[in-house]
Each structure stands twice: as structure tokens, then as C-alpha cells.
Amino acid sequence: MAQNRRGKKYQDALKQVDRNKSYSVEEAVELVKKIDFAKFDATVEVVFNLDVDTKQADQQLRGAVVLPNGTGKDQKVVVFAKGDKAKEAEEAGADVVGEADLAEKIQNGWLDFDVAIATPDMMAQVGRLGRVLGPKGLMPNPKTGTVTMDVKKAVSDSKSGKVTYRTDRDGNVAVIIGKSSFDADKLVGNFKTIEDLIVKNRPASVKGSYITNLSISTTFGPGVKVDLESF
């Protein structure tokens, strides 16, 4: 029923997808590019459905990786740091660097950024922003490399195509792999980087099937199912 309420452009795109077929990664990428109907450079996303129990701490995946071909998005980065580390962040290209002043600005509702990085000594202040940053997925975290003393690398990585990933409560991991304007081979390269990471980080306690479903789509376009044997 939900699909029937979609617009005509979506329905036309959907007609070009064989719902009974699982495509190779290369075919899926070519198809989502072909059927994309957005009037802007749409984001391409891959969604892995994993047979994991997210209620178990050891079966929750979370991390970050720098995509070899970038994301096509200009990331706005803020850094909580002071002294030499603040200077290091500025020289690395951070958009906004601050301490209590930055925390207060965010507390008052300013969220015009994509990535927040903090040095460990700033986490006492940043921790108070959990209710603001947490729901937006912006809270600095050591697992994603955003709580670190190496702010130069953290800023550089964020600016050059770093993406974060984590399982939602249903066991899905959704990750951006680029833009619809990307050459197909660049999207495939980014996909394989993510796929390798998901496989490598398979929880030891997960037995049997692991990746149960996989699809690629653009911002408004329908998902295209990927053959799990094709990579």
C-alpha cells in the first residue's frame, strides 16, 4: 500500500527494477544511477540487514571508515579543543573550534554541522550535550575516531570522505557510498570498502547467516536488491 501512494516518478523508476531478481553489485549501482529522478545530485546509500541481536552488546556494530572515493559531500566539522590542539584543528581545516563557548552555542540550538570532534579532556563539557547531539548522531565517540588527541587526522578524515556506521535496533546498517553523479566504479569501490568492514567485524557470537539482505538506493529512488553471492 505504501508504494502505491508514491509519486508517478517513483512508480516509473520501480517498474525498471525486477523485484524477483537479485543484482550483482555492479548491476545494482548502474541501475540506481539510471532510475534516479531527483533534480539534484542524489545520495547513494547501501543498507545491510544483519542477523544480529542488537540487545546483546557484543552483536552491535559501530565504527567509521574513510571511503576511497569520498562521499561527494562537503562535511562541516566542529572541534572541541583548547590550546595547541585548538590551533591544530584550525590548521587542519575545522570549520568551528571552541570550548565552553561552542558548547553553549550548541546548547542554545545551533546544529549547523555534520561532524563533531573532541579531545578527551573536553568530554566533561561535551558530555552535557548528550541529549542534543545524541539523537542527531553527532555525539563524539572513541569508536568512530571522534574523541581523540589526533585532531589533525580526525578533521582530515572527516573532510575527505569518512563515514560512520552502526546497527539500528532492527539490525540494519545504512551507509552513504557517494552521489548519483559518481562513476559507477567509484560507487562500487566505496561499497566494497564498507562490505569488507561489515564482514570483518562479524560478531563472533553470530552463527549461521549474517548478512540476510542487502540493497542500494538513491535519496528518493526504490531499493535494488543485491545478490549476496556477487561479492
Side-chain angles (χ1 to χ4, degrees):
M1 293 295 292
Q3 289 183 351
N4 292 333
R5 292 197 294 270
R6 301 269 194 169
K8 185 178 184 301
K9 290 182 179 179
Y10 179 91
Q11 295 294 340
D12 289 343
L14 186 60
K15 289 175 183 176
Q16 299 179 64
V17 180
D18 185 344
R19 309 303 286 175
N20 297 313
K21 176 180 178 180
S22 292
Y23 295 80
S24 70
V25 176
E26 292 77 10
E27 288 174 331
V29 165
E30 291 282 7
L31 185 53
V32 297
K33 282 169 59 64
K34 176 185 174 184
I35 64 178
D36 176 50
F37 56 85
K39 293 182 179 179
F40 55 89
D41 192 6
T43 294
V44 181
E45 181 180 68
V46 58
V47 179
F48 295 83
N49 179 253
L50 307 178
D51 187 14
V52 296
D53 182 0
T54 55
K55 293 179 181 178
Q56 306 299 319
D58 67 332
Q59 293 191 25
Q60 296 174 9
L61 273 68
R62 183 170 189 175
V65 64
V66 177
L67 297 179
N69 300 305
T71 62
K73 180 180 180 181
D74 182 21
Q75 299 273 65
K76 191 167 185 179
V77 179
V78 302
V79 178
F80 292 90
K82 57 186 177 182
D84 290 342
K85 289 299 173 181
K87 184 178 180 181
E88 185 179 316
E90 290 171 352
E91 291 175 347
D95 296 276
V96 180
V97 181
E99 301 177 51
D101 56 331
L102 178 55
E104 183 179 359
K105 187 175 182 179
I106 291 172
Q107 191 71 61
N108 290 334
W110 181 75
L111 290 168
D112 185 22
F113 55 93
D114 303 294
V115 180
I117 295 166
T119 52
D121 59 314
M122 295 300 297
M123 286 307 293
Q125 290 191 38
V126 179
R128 299 168 189 163
L129 302 173
R131 291 184 179 180
V132 179
L133 298 179
K136 299 289 185 180
L138 295 170
M139 190 68 182
N141 188 298
K143 291 183 179 179
T144 59
T146 48
V147 177
T148 176
M149 288 301 286
D150 193 350
V151 293
K152 180 179 180 180
K153 183 178 187 300
V155 172
S156 178
D157 285 351
S158 296
K159 288 286 188 178
S160 61
K162 181 179 179 180
V163 293
T164 59
Y165 64 92
R166 67 182 301 177
T167 43
D168 65 16
R169 63 182 181 182
D170 296 318
N172 297 309
V173 177
V175 191
I176 292 170
I177 58 171
K179 294 287 187 177
S180 61
S181 63
F182 278 25
D183 290 340
D185 61 339
K186 290 187 176 181
L187 290 170
V188 171
N190 282 347
F191 165 84
K192 289 184 175 178
T193 296
I194 296 296
E195 182 269 328
D196 287 346
L197 200 60
I198 297 295
V199 171
K200 180 180 178 181
N201 287 298
R202 173 180 178 141
S205 57
V206 173
K207 307 302 179 184
S209 62
Y210 175 46
I211 301 175
T212 58
N213 193 46
L214 174 58
S215 66
I216 298 175
S217 64
T218 56
T219 305
F220 295 141
V224 175
K225 190 174 181 179
V226 176
D227 182 0
L228 299 179
E229 302 297 322
S230 70
F231 53 86

